[in-house]
């Protein structure tokens, strides 16, 4: 299946630019069955999750239940063959502490034939972890 130039970028863009529900549906549709999703060391959900169920439970359900207004806003996308990078800013308020954060991130995706095989997160985790700590 030959994809046109920019097709992978559009698949990834569709996981960020709609409503949370649309983004989630688009992500699930794009994940390969054994997709690997790696959250950065130092991030609250650090580790590698394999498969849609593990990714949803280990990352997205936690983001939805532990944070208020959590967002990943992308300002730039780049495509290089089967790799797509998204650069942006996370924001949200951690419910347990009431503390807000803003942190720069980069997500690097590897795709094949329109399916996400892997995602690796790079993030300023210190800014996120600060929100997890109770105010002094």
């Amino acid at each position: 299946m030959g994809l046109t130039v920019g097709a992978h970028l559009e698949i990834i863009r569709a996981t960020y630019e709609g409503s949370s529900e649309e983004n989630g549906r688009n992500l699930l549709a794009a994940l390969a069955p054994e997709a690997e999703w790696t959250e950065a060391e130092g991030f609250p959900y650090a580790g590698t999750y394999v498969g849609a169920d593990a990714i949803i439970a280990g990352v997205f359900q936690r983001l939805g239940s532990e944070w208020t207004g959590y967002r990943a806003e992308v300002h730039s996308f780049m495509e290089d063959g089967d790799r797509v990078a998204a650069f942006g800013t996370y924001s949200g308020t951690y419910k347990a502490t009431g503390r807000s954060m803003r942190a720069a991130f980069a997500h690097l995706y590897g795709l094949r034939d329109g399916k996400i095989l892997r995602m690796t997160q790079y993030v300023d985790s210190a800014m996120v972890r600060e929100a997890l700590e109770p105010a002094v």
Side-chain angles (χ1 to χ4, degrees):
M1 167 185 184
L3 295 174
T4 60
V5 173
H8 282 149
L9 187 146
E10 290 310 314
I11 289 165
I12 299 304
R13 183 188 306 272
T15 68
Y16 290 97
E17 294 188 343
S19 69
S20 290
E21 295 77 20
E22 291 169 328
N23 294 346
R25 275 194 304 275
N26 292 338
L27 177 63
L28 284 174
L31 286 173
E34 294 301 313
E36 296 181 6
W37 193 274
T38 301
E39 297 285 297
E41 193 172 322
F43 195 71
Y45 316 127
T48 298
Y49 303 87
V50 179
D53 291 344
I55 294 166
I56 298 305
V59 180
F60 292 98
Q61 286 180 348
R62 293 170 73 187
L63 289 171
S65 66
E66 297 174 12
W67 295 82
T68 301
Y70 191 92
R71 295 186 44 87
E73 295 181 73
V74 175
H75 57 70
S76 301
F77 292 96
M78 295 175 66
E79 181 179 35
D80 180 18
D82 287 344
R83 292 180 299 187
V84 175
F87 302 92
T89 305
Y90 291 138
S91 61
T93 302
Y94 193 61
K95 289 180 181 179
T97 62
R99 295 184 73 187
S100 297
M101 64 84 188
R102 288 183 61 76
F105 73 81
H107 294 161
L108 180 60
Y109 292 87
L111 299 95
R112 186 180 318 122
D113 298 329
K115 292 293 185 182
I116 298 169
L117 302 176
R118 73 189 54 81
M119 189 288 295
T120 304
Q121 175 200 53
Y122 303 89
V123 61
D124 184 353
S125 58
M127 300 304 289
V128 179
R129 296 206 62 81
E130 203 173 278
L132 305 181
E133 301 296 322
V136 220

